[in-house]
Amino acid sequence: QVQLVESGGGLVQAGGSLRLSCTASGLTFDDYAMGWFRQAPGKEREGVSCISWSGGSTYYADSVKGRFTISRDNAKNTLYLQMNSLKPEDTAMYYCAVGPRNLSPWNDGGKYTYWGQGTQVTVSS
């Protein structure tokens, strides 16, 4: 059975950094693109970033581009999201998810098949 477990969330001050991790089991990790999504209270789910199965292609929401970096270590079955220069509007529950082969578009949550339980990121002013 597929399991995705996120970690690394927490409470930070604006301008700080966090690195989220997502460790996968129950699937051939390097067969799949992987994505990060987030959802804040009262807002719709938003695609944050996505990375292809090989790591050769990456995609970012305009709101995080230049501040966040997605990466993966296929040998460790682990996905990462390095978040720098955090802003209060980044506060949300962050989820990792198993993506499709076709990444056009990359940020359609309906194309992602398995989801983790999420890790909370809170950025104070």
Side-chain angles (χ1 to χ4, degrees):
Q1 52 194 40
V2 175
Q3 285 194 337
L4 305 176
V5 180
E6 301 98 333
S7 62
L11 174 64
V12 298
Q13 293 186 342
S17 297
L18 286 172
R19 189 175 77 157
L20 306 184
S21 298
C22 171
T23 299
S25 61
L27 79 167
T28 305
F29 183 72
D30 60 4
D31 280 352
Y32 298 95
M34 297 289 294
W36 288 100
F37 289 75
R38 67 186 182 186
Q39 188 164 26
K43 296 184 178 180
E44 295 184 351
R45 183 178 60 191
E46 175 188 22
V48 177
S49 187
C50 178
I51 187 167
S52 63
W53 67 269
S54 66
S57 299
T58 58
Y59 308 86
Y60 297 93
D62 289 343
S63 58
V64 307
K65 193 170 186 178
R67 300 187 296 120
F68 291 10
T69 303
I70 192 170
S71 62
R72 66 192 298 163
D73 186 340
N74 286 343
K76 296 181 178 180
N77 285 3
T78 301
L79 175 74
Y80 303 98
L81 185 68
Q82 179 67 47
M83 305 187 296
N84 298 326
S85 301
L86 283 162
K87 303 175 181 179
E89 52 263 44
D90 295 318
T91 295
M93 186 73 76
Y94 284 71
Y95 302 90
C96 66
V98 177
R101 291 283 187 176
N102 187 348
L103 296 178
S104 298
W106 67 268
N107 58 349
D108 179 359
K111 296 170 65 176
Y112 290 72
T113 54
Y114 294 96
W115 297 77
Q117 294 299 305
T119 186
Q120 178 67 41
V121 172
T122 303
V123 184
S124 63
S125 300

